Amino acid sequence: MQILTLTKYIKADLIARLSRDELSPDALTLAALSDHYQVSVTPIYHAINELIEEGYLYREKNRRLCVNQEKMSDAQTAAKSPQPAPPEDHFKRITDDLLAMSLNGESVFLREMASAKKYDISRTSLRNIFNRLAGDGMLEHVPRRGWKLRSFNQHDLDAFIEVRVVLELKALDLAKESLEKRVLQKILDGNQVPETDEEPLQIDNSLHEYLIKQSDNYYIISFFDRHGRYFDLLFLWESNDRDAAIQEIQQHQRILSALINEDWTTARKELEFHLRSNHPVLSQLKR
């Protein structure tokens, strides 16, 4: 049997699930799908883009994803066919390794042949992964030298946060009239601190994506799509720290509660505090 790439697997599985009406519109977000498939947002992003290109999905003016029911009627056979098991997530393994090197301050050149041998995959598969990571801002292809790994830099993070605060607060101002309380409540329900240390954390980080999309401002959306991906990988890594994750959940709860109550002053204050203070682990890395 032909081994599917992770993106192709997710794409095929989404078509089947959408054909069976198993996904609500609220589930069609990068954060929700990433959580469902237990993978990084990158293969989700590519699968969604392919489904849009093929007409299964489309975006409304507010950037919300919608299902093309006419196209889905052609996919009923997919709904009846058993789906293959997901392949090994080489992308996640390689991303985790490179992220650890980046956080250690390493700015090295990676050769395709040696890297493909290390991860036991073909050079073509490795090149596809490296190209995706280049799109995420982690790698840069340098002719005749290989792929240069981006080194974590505290000043770079601080500069990004300064711009992020300005643009995300502006996104909140622009999105006020289009925020749906049922969506906000669902995100709030997805951010719960467990009662005991043994229970797993329940965290939903889709608030930021929701505010940015609902702003309906091309330049705000474009900035985060172009410059935010590398930092999204860093923030996802940071949330592996339980104390940092609990802090993030509690801050999300305060922001969302204020938004649901239409207390815009408190919401702006809590959002700015969250954006500036929610990196206790990364702030300790002096690079």
Side-chain angles (χ1 to χ4, degrees), residues 54-106:
E54 295 176 16
Y56 290 103
L57 299 175
Y58 66 92
R59 288 191 186 277
E60 294 184 328
K61 290 183 178 180
N62 62 4
R63 305 288 294 170
R64 188 184 184 90
L65 281 170
C66 295
V67 178
N68 182 350
Q69 296 297 342
E70 293 183 2
K71 180 72 173 179
M72 276 299 164
S73 64
D74 300 332
Q76 294 302 316
T77 54
K80 299 176 183 178
S81 302
Q83 295 303 304
E88 180 183 352
D89 190 353
H90 292 295
F91 178 83
K92 185 178 186 304
R93 180 187 171 196
I94 293 173
T95 299
D96 288 346
D97 284 355
L98 298 188
L99 188 57
M101 293 168 62
S102 175
L103 290 167
N104 283 331
E106 298 182 41

Side-chain angles (χ1 to χ4, degrees), residues 18-256:
L18 290 169
S19 298
R20 296 190 293 262
D21 292 324
E22 292 180 358
L23 290 176
S24 67
D26 292 340
L28 291 176
T29 67
L30 293 180
L33 292 173
S34 176
D35 181 66
H36 172 77
Y37 288 104
Q38 293 295 294
V39 298
S40 65
V41 298
T42 303
I44 303 294
Y45 174 82
H46 288 284
I48 290 294
N49 278 350
E50 289 185 17
L51 290 174
I52 292 174
E53 290 176 2
E54 295 176 16
Y56 290 103
L57 299 175
Y58 66 92
R59 288 191 186 277
E60 294 184 328
K61 290 183 178 180
N62 62 4
R63 305 288 294 170
R64 188 184 184 90
L65 281 170
C66 295
V67 178
N68 182 350
Q69 296 297 342
E70 293 183 2
K71 180 72 173 179
M72 276 299 164
S73 64
D74 300 332
Q76 294 302 316
T77 54
K80 299 176 183 178
S81 302
Q83 295 303 304
E88 180 183 352
D89 190 353
H90 292 295
F91 178 83
K92 185 178 186 304
R93 180 187 171 196
I94 293 173
T95 299
D96 288 346
D97 284 355
L98 298 188
L99 188 57
M101 293 168 62
S102 175
L103 290 167
N104 283 331
E106 298 182 41
S107 181
V108 298
F109 283 92
L110 305 168
R111 293 291 185 177
E112 289 183 5
M113 183 176 295
S115 297
K117 183 177 180 180
K118 175 181 178 181
Y119 294 106
D120 194 25
I121 58 176
S122 69
R123 288 188 65 178
T124 299
S125 297
L126 180 88
R127 191 177 301 116
N128 289 337
I129 292 174
F130 277 10
N131 275 318
R132 287 160 61 182
L133 289 172
D136 289 340
M138 183 178 289
L139 293 175
E140 176 189 0
H141 185 251
V142 180
R144 295 183 297 278
R145 298 196 66 186
W147 297 82
K148 184 179 180 181
L149 175 66
R150 180 175 180 173
S151 174
F152 172 75
N153 181 284
Q154 188 68 53
H155 176 74
D156 190 33
L157 173 64
D158 293 342
F160 173 78
I161 290 175
E162 285 298 320
V163 178
R164 183 187 184 187
V165 168
V166 173
L167 292 184
E168 203 159 324
L169 289 177
K170 183 62 177 178
L172 171 57
D173 292 338
L174 294 173
K176 286 179 183 177
E177 301 302 321
S178 62
L179 296 178
E180 299 181 47
K181 290 189 178 182
R182 65 180 183 83
V183 176
L184 295 172
Q185 184 62 53
K186 184 173 182 179
I187 300 174
L188 178 58
D189 293 341
N191 284 278
Q192 300 296 326
V193 178
E195 295 182 358
T196 67
D197 293 339
E198 289 72 29
E199 293 181 56
L201 296 174
Q202 186 177 346
I203 184 168
D204 183 343
N205 196 37
S206 61
L207 169 63
H208 305 284
E209 179 188 10
Y210 182 57
L211 291 177
I212 291 165
K213 286 186 177 180
Q214 294 303 105
S215 74
D216 195 26
N217 184 295
Y218 169 81
Y219 298 99
I220 293 177
I221 295 171
S222 179
F223 171 82
F224 286 102
D225 184 56
R226 182 175 180 181
H227 299 287
R229 297 183 191 177
Y230 170 71
F231 296 100
D232 284 343
L233 293 173
L234 293 180
F235 301 155
L236 184 63
W237 169 84
E238 187 174 38
S239 66
N240 290 322
D241 182 278
R242 189 176 180 87
D243 290 338
I246 289 175
Q247 172 181 294
E248 183 177 9
I249 291 170
Q250 293 170 334
Q251 292 176 1
H252 283 166
Q253 290 174 333
R254 292 196 292 270
I255 299 167
L256 287 158

